[in-house]
Amino acid sequence: MVLLLAGCSVEVAPDNQAAATASEPAGPARWSDATAKQLRDAINARGAHGLDQMAFDASAKDEAGLTKQALAYAGALARGATDPTKLYEVYTVPRPNPDLRAGLAGALRAGDVRGWLESLTPGDDNYKRLSKAYVALRTDPPARHANIPVTGDAIKPGATDPRIPTIARELVILDYLDGGAAQGQQYTPAMVKAVQGIQADYGMKPDGVIGSEALAILNMSDVDRARAVAVAMERLRWLERTPPATRIDVNLAEARLTYWRDGKIADSRKVVVGEPDTETPQLGSPIFRLVANPTWTVPRSIQEKDLANKGSGYLKANNMKWEDGWIVQQPGPKNSLGLVKFDMLNDHAIYLHDTPAKALFAMIQRQRSHGCVRVEDALGFAEMLARDNGVTGEWQQARGTGEETFVKLPRQIPVRMLYQTVLFDDAGEPIVRNDPYGWDDRVGTALGFKAGRALRVESGATDVGP
């Protein structure tokens, strides 16, 4: 029996018939007992990819069933078991699109379905580390992480408590505490300040007392860790395997930008991204020009929400005026876009820009904007991009005009707005951060996991800027 596969065919070989070798003339791609077993073994070992909570059938014995199962599992490895364009209202980051039917046919001819399936997953070290961490969490959680005992009295400043070292470790992971500030079982002033910071960000009274609410934030279970790691692997599978060597990646969950130049990290800096009610979408969109001394046309949503009750005095004080029915902020130090805008090609009016609100970069939770991405030391970053693109002279001249001036880049710079809640420490170990938008929930549910923690940051935009 033969099943046509878009230009190739798949046929079940008799038990005693070996798969075609590379030296033989090209013919029908045949399933054999060996390749069928390779498929079953691969599906049964799907926990290495965080897919063990999903049901992939591995029971087929006929050629049509084997092919269907192989393509379904291959698709999960190659593009993700979920579709981000269906999980999110906006998702335009470039995705992989391999020819799985042709790949399967080639694997069957070579008798190596196992190797083909393994080749479909991301090959970078981060994916391998996530896989290793997930397997360890699922098989031997206590050996990986020590959870914070929830019993006992609330821990007050100055107290001594055996839970302090584990609490300190979580505070370091979440960036609220410097790694060298945690010592012994003493609840030190540095730790108190860190706890007050996390309490303020999560909408609690910032009294520094570690009670049940604070412990709930700090005490992530191994089940939650495993779920977050599985979600992180899935998000990596969504991404094209060979991204542009020169690009900008923005991790919305971490609120940090990474600039890749010729395949190596050239720069990394803090950013401010959309608050939970005005999230920055996951976009793939290039920067095509730099804008010196930008004007800002206030969007209707901000105009109606934040400026509706402001009078002419406010507009004048902030260098704003009405133009053709819109409020437009003129160039200058008070402009909400700062002194540079990084213009991007997308239909969502999302871009990178400077900001006069510099204090936001000192905050741990930097989900504070109305959706656009504010860049720390944006002028320095603009100069770097101008130099790398050979337009330093044009950029400096544009800045000197004091007026809105555009400098087109000879080569567009791809930008990817990503969302990753699992990062890596200096030793290469995965660490789970908070999920400020709650976006892990829908991915985890689609992968078959129960809902995770519902604790969310309460940031609140602090100005009217985009």
Side-chain angles (χ1 to χ4, degrees):
M1 295 180 64
V2 176
L3 178 69
L4 296 179
L5 277 182
C8 64
S9 59
V10 174
E11 178 177 318
V12 175
D15 292 348
N16 60 353
Q17 181 176 344
T21 65
S23 61
E24 294 177 345
R30 302 178 176 89
W31 281 102
S32 67
D33 284 349
T35 52
K37 183 178 184 302
Q38 289 176 22
L39 174 62
R40 288 193 296 271
D41 290 346
I43 292 177
N44 290 335
R46 64 190 181 278
H49 303 288
L51 296 172
D52 50 328
Q53 303 302 301
M54 299 188 75
F56 286 92
D57 188 7
S59 62
K61 298 184 182 302
D62 63 286
E63 70 277 7
L66 288 166
T67 297
K68 182 178 179 181
Q69 290 171 5
L71 291 176
Y73 187 57
L77 298 180
R79 290 175 50 82
T82 61
D83 184 348
T85 64
K86 295 180 180 178
L87 293 175
Y88 300 99
E89 183 177 352
V90 177
Y91 189 95
T92 65
V93 180
R95 300 184 63 201
N97 188 30
D99 189 338
L100 297 179
R101 294 178 180 274
L104 174 59
L108 290 174
R109 291 192 184 98
D112 189 14
V113 170
R114 179 188 298 108
W116 171 64
L117 290 172
E118 291 175 353
S119 74
L120 297 174
T121 61
D124 59 89
D125 289 338
N126 284 353
Y127 189 85
K128 295 174 183 176
R129 290 168 181 160
L130 290 169
S131 174
K132 181 180 178 182
Y134 182 80
V135 171
L137 283 165
R138 298 293 292 179
T139 56
D140 190 17
R144 297 287 297 177
H145 295 280
N147 291 326
I148 304 168
V150 295
T151 57
D153 296 333
I155 306 173
K156 298 180 179 180
T160 299
D161 193 286
R163 295 171 287 180
I164 287 296
T166 309
I167 292 172
R169 178 183 180 277
E170 290 301 314
L171 289 170
V172 170
I173 285 175
L174 295 174
D175 264 355
Y176 285 89
L177 182 68
D178 181 79
Q183 297 179 356
Q185 298 184 0
Q186 184 76 26
Y187 188 19
T188 64
M191 283 189 65
V192 173
K193 184 178 179 180
V195 170
Q196 288 173 329
I198 204 169
Q199 287 173 326
D201 283 342
Y202 282 84
M204 293 179 281
K205 181 181 178 181
D207 57 9
V209 176
I210 306 176
S212 57
E213 287 184 304
L215 283 174
I217 296 169
L218 296 167
N219 197 26
M220 177 172 282
S221 71
D222 291 306
V223 172
D224 285 330
R225 285 192 178 93
R227 170 180 169 273
V229 170
V231 169
M233 281 193 281
E234 175 72 352
R235 285 199 168 104
L236 289 181
R237 290 191 292 265
W238 290 345
L239 302 178
E240 55 188 344
R241 299 298 183 259
T242 308
T246 297
R247 67 184 186 277
I248 294 170
D249 287 341
V250 178
N251 185 348
L252 305 176
E254 187 190 11
R256 179 168 285 275
L257 171 155
T258 302
Y259 173 38
W260 295 81
R261 183 196 300 129
D262 297 328
K264 297 181 179 179
I265 294 178
D267 187 71
S268 180
R269 60 186 65 210
K270 297 176 181 177
V271 295
V272 174
V273 299
E275 64 175 333
D277 288 334
T278 55
E279 301 98 333
T280 304
Q282 297 169 89
L283 296 178
S285 173
I287 294 173
F288 71 99
R289 67 183 180 186
L290 305 177
V291 185
N293 313 305
T295 61
W296 178 45
T297 301
V298 181
R300 294 293 189 203
S301 58
I302 297 179
Q303 182 178 315
E304 294 170 0
K305 179 181 178 181
D306 298 291
L307 301 181
N309 298 320
K310 305 293 186 182
S312 59
Y314 175 89
L315 297 183
K316 184 177 180 180
N318 288 278
N319 203 17
M320 295 177 172
K321 62 181 181 179
W322 286 95
E323 294 183 5
D324 299 325
W326 295 84
I327 296 177
V328 179
Q329 190 174 35
Q330 303 306 303
K334 290 186 177 182
N335 189 284
S336 294
L337 302 185
L339 297 175
V340 57
K341 174 185 177 184
F342 304 81
D343 250 344
M344 298 170 62
L345 294 172
N346 61 73
D347 297 328
H348 306 281
I350 296 295
Y351 45 84
L352 279 60
H353 65 92
D354 188 16
T355 177
K358 309 297 186 186
L360 295 180
F361 295 111
M363 306 185 80
I364 303 300
Q365 306 295 343
R366 295 187 295 279
Q367 289 74 29
R368 310 274 174 174
S369 81
H370 284 93
C372 285
V373 178
R374 309 176 187 186
V375 181
E376 184 180 37
D377 184 20
L379 281 176
F381 190 54
E383 290 171 4
M384 182 183 300
L385 297 187
R387 182 176 63 250
D388 288 352
N389 283 269
V391 292
T392 298
E394 294 93 323
W395 171 245
Q396 291 177 346
Q397 183 177 359
R399 281 206 60 205
T401 65
E403 299 178 354
E404 184 172 59
T405 309
F406 305 96
V407 178
K408 186 176 180 180
L409 298 178
R411 297 176 300 278
Q412 295 181 0
I413 305 174
V415 179
R416 304 189 302 178
M417 305 287 189
L418 308 174
Y419 191 84
Q420 279 286 11
T421 58
V422 180
L423 307 177
F424 295 88
D425 62 18
D426 293 338
E429 287 296 316
I431 55 176
V432 180
R433 299 286 297 273
N434 64 299
D435 176 14
Y437 290 168
W439 281 357
D440 277 4
D441 290 345
R442 62 191 76 178
V443 183
T445 299
L447 292 176
F449 291 86
K450 294 181 179 179
R453 300 178 305 162
L455 295 166
R456 297 289 173 255
V457 172
E458 296 182 9
S459 56
T462 58
D463 55 53
V464 300

